[in-house]
Amino acid sequence: MILHLNNSISESEAQKIAAENQAFCFNNGKQFVLITSSSLKEVPEGLKSKITESWVFQNDNQLASREYIKHTREVDFGTFKIGGNTKNTVLIGGPCSVESESQIRESASFMAGLGLKLFRGGCYKPRTSPYSFQGLGLEGLQLLAKMREEFGMQVITEVRDATHVEEVIEYTDIIQVGAKAMYDQGILRACAKTQKPILIKRGFGTTLQEFVQSAEFVLSGGNPNVVLCERGIRTFETGTRFTLDLCGVAWLKKHTNLPVILDPSHAMGYAYGVADLARACTAMGIDGLLIESHPNPKVALSDASQQLNHSEFEALLTSLKPVANAVGYNMI
Ligand code: PEP
Ligand code: MN
């Protein structure tokens, strides 16, 4: 249940009420908001005079639900916004990993030249083998920050575990919580304490409900700037790396108020399918696309098979713009 408290209620009183009702509490800029488990179906008698509005839910898709907020939330990415009434589809480009200063500068210079506003590069890589390249860590974050200064793009990078979450929050503009990290409550709770945008990727074995609940950890801690990212789920099919769940995207658009970004690169796993999938995603009317691209994919230290080379990426961007326009969106 979500409860909006009267404006006359002070912070200490709101915190006291929250503690008494095992509820989360934050100030949304207008009033204190209390959130309890969705199993609570009636406003407790003692609270009736202290609230202005209440919402009852079937499940724990609460702050993220369309029943609570009817429109898609607007999320401010610093130099531009997505969601709300913006009708922006942001293209996030860049390599899977930051590998070296020369590699990341070549990539950033190319993406900035195309007019991209948001540049990606992983520094703490969540690999499935301990013997694979694990990322440059802090050195990678510093290189990304340098690229932000040199090329004026916002940067997004992922957090692998709770040991370096503060470091990532400090260096990056947008924090990516990866498919394997989205259950890590240390990460989610730390992300709730900042106001920077958090992009949460769906785990490959995660139901839509669990995915939304991961977002609820951040929202209920007081950070409203959450964006969901579908990146493929595991099915019986092995011909492609994962299966991009476009039905799930339709579900998220209908049942949640959070902007939705799609990542066809990790879903497909092979560069040959990424452009077709990206156009299909864009035609759904979405808030963003995340596409991996490397100056020389053959020598990439992670996700080599799925990264587009620069000429493929440029051709894709040209082809995406009219698709976005056809469904009333702007590719930025
Ligand atoms: C990535 O974006 O490079 C990545 C590792 O993604 P995911 O968490 O979706 O596997
Ligand atoms: Mn990758």
Side-chain angles (χ1 to χ4, degrees):
M1 179 178 288
I2 298 178
L3 302 151
H4 280 186
L5 297 183
N6 291 335
N7 280 329
S8 58
I9 289 178
S10 67
E11 173 155 19
S12 60
E13 205 182 336
Q15 296 297 353
K16 188 166 166 272
I17 297 170
E20 284 164 1
N21 291 277
Q22 290 95 46
F24 284 86
C25 176
F26 65 89
N27 192 314
N28 69 2
K30 291 190 190 126
Q31 64 265 110
F32 285 100
V33 180
L34 292 194
I35 315 106
T36 72
S37 157
S38 56
S39 58
L40 186 68
K41 303 292 184 197
E42 272 182 46
V43 180
E45 203 51 46
L47 283 185
K48 283 188 177 157
S49 63
K50 296 184 172 148
I51 63 162
T52 53
E53 237 181 316
S54 63
W55 290 260
V56 173
F57 297 93
Q58 297 299 322
N59 54 49
D60 282 343
N61 174 13
Q62 301 196 77
L63 292 165
S65 76
R66 288 250 176 222
E67 290 140 59
Y68 178 52
I69 297 178
K70 304 227 165 352
H71 56 270
T72 304
R73 289 170 190 253
E74 187 176 271
V75 176
D76 192 342
F77 277 15
T79 52
F80 64 96
K81 293 173 179 169
I82 61 167
N85 295 321
T86 65
K87 294 278 178 186
N88 284 331
T89 301
V90 60
L91 179 58
I92 309 169
C96 180
S97 297
V98 178
E99 299 172 1
S100 66
E101 182 154 355
S102 61
Q103 172 253 12
I104 204 65
R105 181 170 290 106
E106 189 175 348
S107 184
S109 153
F110 175 75
M111 295 298 166
L114 291 181
L116 259 64
K117 295 189 178 328
L118 184 49
F119 182 60
R120 66 152 283 145
C123 304
Y124 288 96
K125 298 305 299 178
R127 307 306 299 277
T128 41
S129 165
Y131 311 117
S132 308
F133 176 62
Q134 306 290 304
L136 296 182
L138 179 59
E139 186 192 342
L141 292 178
Q142 288 164 342
L143 287 173
L144 270 186
K146 206 166 168 183
M147 295 308 108
R148 173 177 48 215
E149 293 313 308
E150 283 183 32
F151 297 101
M153 291 181 289
Q154 300 289 99
V155 295
I156 173 167
T157 195
E158 71 202 276
V159 50
R160 183 177 59 210
D161 59 66
T163 61
H164 54 262
V165 61
E166 307 297 343
E167 200 176 89
V168 171
I169 290 172
E170 182 189 331
Y171 276 91
T172 191
D173 301 302
I174 292 132
I175 298 111
Q176 176 176 319
V177 179
K180 294 177 195 131
M182 61 145 273
Y183 288 106
D184 185 323
Q185 296 178 17
I187 292 176
L188 297 172
R189 290 186 200 282
C191 288
K193 292 202 188 95
T194 172
Q195 291 294 297
K196 284 191 180 178
I198 313 296
L199 180 145
I200 306 180
K201 287 187 152 199
R202 181 182 182 186
F204 49 74
T206 300
T207 65
L208 293 163
Q209 179 66 33
E210 289 164 347
F211 186 24
V212 173
Q213 282 169 199
S214 169
E216 293 277 340
F217 272 96
V218 180
L219 297 168
S220 63
N223 183 355
N225 301 309
V226 179
V227 174
L228 301 174
C229 178
E230 160 62 26
R231 46 76 76 205
I233 53 173
R234 184 156 280 166
T235 65
F236 52 80
E237 185 52 65
T238 56
T240 57
R241 192 177 181 193
F242 294 100
T243 297
L244 192 63
D245 183 12
L246 297 187
C247 297
V249 171
W251 188 96
L252 293 170
K253 286 178 63 170
K254 180 162 177 62
H255 295 288
T256 81
N257 56 45
L258 302 175
V260 179
I261 288 183
L262 273 78
D263 169 0
S265 296
H266 289 86
M268 185 68 206
Y270 301 97
Y272 75 85
V274 170
D276 280 346
L277 272 176
R279 285 185 286 269
C281 294
T282 305
M284 289 187 78
I286 53 166
D287 303 291
L289 263 183
L290 187 158
I291 309 280
E292 286 190 341
S293 174
H294 190 284
N296 184 2
K298 281 195 216 63
V299 301
L301 297 180
S302 58
D303 287 348
S305 63
Q306 71 198 31
Q307 301 202 58
L308 303 186
N309 64 35
H310 284 176
S311 63
E312 289 165 337
F313 188 89
E314 185 167 6
L316 173 59
L317 174 56
T318 308
S319 79
L320 286 173
K321 287 180 176 168
V323 179
N325 294 344
V327 293
Y329 279 72
N330 268 325
M331 182 69 61
I332 61 165

